Amino acid sequence: ADFEAGKFPSLQEAHDALMTHCRTLIRAHRAEAARWETERQELKDSEGMLMQALQTMREALDAETRAHDLDLRTLHGYQMRSSTITASASQGAQHPHPASGSV
């Protein structure tokens, strides 16, 4: 259209202008592609860091859960011993030892 309107006096000048425009578009496209590649790499790196953080949190939670389970088992053991001691003391009070002479 520009050639038909007389903007370019010769076919060579129109060709040169078109090639210049194409090169400009190619450079812009390459710059955009490089920017997208950089962003893609940054997202990939962020994803890796997030996955590592998630794994660390998972391991910490597992360790905390194991510690909590151990605490519960220990508490249960103390409660069982306490119940046994209380029951033994109660039985001892109800049934005096025959050697003590009490009836």
Side-chain angles (χ1 to χ4, degrees), residues 37-53:
E37 180 60 27
T38 299
E39 288 183 15
R40 185 180 147 289
Q41 187 60 45
E42 288 171 355
L43 287 171
K44 190 176 179 181
D45 293 345
S46 293
E47 180 184 19
M49 287 187 289
L50 287 172
M51 292 305 289
Q52 182 60 43

Side-chain angles (χ1 to χ4, degrees), residues 27-92:
R27 279 193 300 274
H29 173 73
R30 287 180 181 159
E32 185 72 9
R35 185 178 69 80
W36 280 106
E37 180 60 27
T38 299
E39 288 183 15
R40 185 180 147 289
Q41 187 60 45
E42 288 171 355
L43 287 171
K44 190 176 179 181
D45 293 345
S46 293
E47 180 184 19
M49 287 187 289
L50 287 172
M51 292 305 289
Q52 182 60 43
L54 180 61
Q55 182 63 30
T56 300
M57 289 177 66
R58 181 179 294 136
E59 290 168 2
L61 182 59
D62 287 346
E64 189 175 331
T65 301
R66 284 190 302 273
H68 180 69
D69 290 346
L70 179 61
D71 289 346
L72 287 175
R73 285 192 303 271
T74 302
L75 180 60
H76 181 70
Y78 287 148
Q79 287 173 337
M80 292 299 292
R81 273 186 250 145
S82 176
S83 295
T84 302
I85 291 168
T86 303
S88 294
S90 228
Q91 286 176 355

